[in-house]
Amino acid sequence: MLKIGVLVSGSGSNLQAIIDADDIESEVVCVISSNPEAYALTRAQSHGIACYCVTEKGEDGEHKITHYLKQHKVDLVVLAGYLRILGHNLLKEYQGRIINIHPSLLPKFGGKGYYGIAVHKAVIENKEKKSGATVHYVEDGIDTGEIILQRELDVQPDDTAQTLAQRILNDIEHSLLIDAIKLLEKGE
Ligand code: GRF
């Protein structure tokens, strides 16, 4: 069983998927948000999960996050819609134990500027036939760490960035994240 700390900035549907999963042994022990308005915080609170909001950027914020994760004895850090770049100290402290979910088939449409709806707009503008989601380890670069799992779907001719984002989130991301956690539970 892994004690999971989830970092969020927004809606938190991926967080909800982990909370609701009945086929993993791991447990979300704390949630940290960069955004005090994030609905993810409401989700966590309604499940009695410890929450913390860290709005500071830079070393101060990073120190607070690391301290909170340690306080909750977190084994695995999951970035689920977290819109900040992690700093060196946090990455070093949790090396090999931080994963991120990204809504594209990395290495395509990853890196600086590719977050939120911008990812899906780029996929549509590029007339890609396929898109999907990727769970990967987090390292120093943006969206560059080793890929753990990836799953694809067909981009429909009438897809907009919004419909594509929604289908990827609902049909792929939630189950992919759970499958990745299952692999990590098994030590794979
Ligand atoms: C997801 O598309 C995730 O891949 C991306 O941000 C979105 C977050 O959704 N990194 P949610 O907050 O989990 O609903």
Side-chain angles (χ1 to χ4, degrees):
M1 192 204 90
L2 300 167
K3 287 180 189 280
I4 301 178
V6 184
L7 271 58
V8 295
S9 302
S11 151
S13 67
N14 280 297
L15 163 68
Q16 190 72 54
I18 307 174
I19 294 171
D20 292 344
D22 48 18
D23 52 350
I24 57 172
E25 289 170 20
S26 302
E27 184 193 351
V28 179
V29 293
C30 66
V31 169
I32 300 173
S33 176
S34 61
N35 167 16
E37 307 293 327
Y39 184 61
L41 286 171
T42 307
R43 295 183 194 264
Q45 277 156 2
S46 72
H47 289 273
I49 297 169
C51 318
Y52 189 35
C53 187
V54 179
T55 53
E56 294 102 311
K57 293 181 179 171
E59 271 186 37
D60 283 355
E62 202 185 321
H63 181 74
K64 285 185 173 178
I65 293 171
T66 309
H67 183 73
Y68 197 71
L69 294 171
K70 282 185 167 179
Q71 206 181 326
H72 289 274
K73 302 192 173 11
V74 164
D75 308 302
L76 175 69
V77 180
V78 176
L79 309 188
Y82 185 65
L83 297 179
R84 292 266 172 87
I85 309 295
L86 299 187
H88 294 291
N89 294 337
L90 183 48
L91 287 172
K92 205 169 149 203
E93 191 68 44
Y94 283 90
Q95 199 181 10
R97 297 188 292 150
I98 310 178
I99 64 171
N100 178 48
I101 180 144
H102 183 82
S104 78
L105 298 173
L106 289 175
K108 283 186 158 184
F109 307 103
K112 203 169 186 322
Y114 284 120
Y115 63 89
I117 203 71
V119 175
H120 307 288
K121 275 186 181 154
V123 168
I124 301 278
E125 276 164 19
N126 244 45
K127 303 194 190 322
E128 296 288 322
K129 297 256 179 297
K130 294 193 182 291
S131 191
T134 306
V135 177
H136 64 94
Y137 285 106
V138 176
E139 56 173 40
D140 249 344
I142 305 175
D143 301 326
T144 53
E146 185 193 336
I147 291 173
I148 301 170
L149 276 181
Q150 193 164 65
R151 198 163 291 153
E152 62 179 40
L153 53 61
D154 292 332
V155 177
Q156 301 299 337
D158 59 350
D159 259 330
T160 63
Q162 281 74 16
T163 60
L164 185 60
Q166 209 54 48
R167 282 195 303 118
I168 290 176
L169 191 61
N170 294 333
D171 299 353
I172 296 190
E173 288 192 47
H174 298 157
S175 57
L176 191 71
L177 187 53
I178 301 307
D179 289 349
I181 292 170
K182 282 186 201 161
L183 283 181
L184 298 176
E185 282 180 343
K186 287 193 268 176
E188 288 175 11

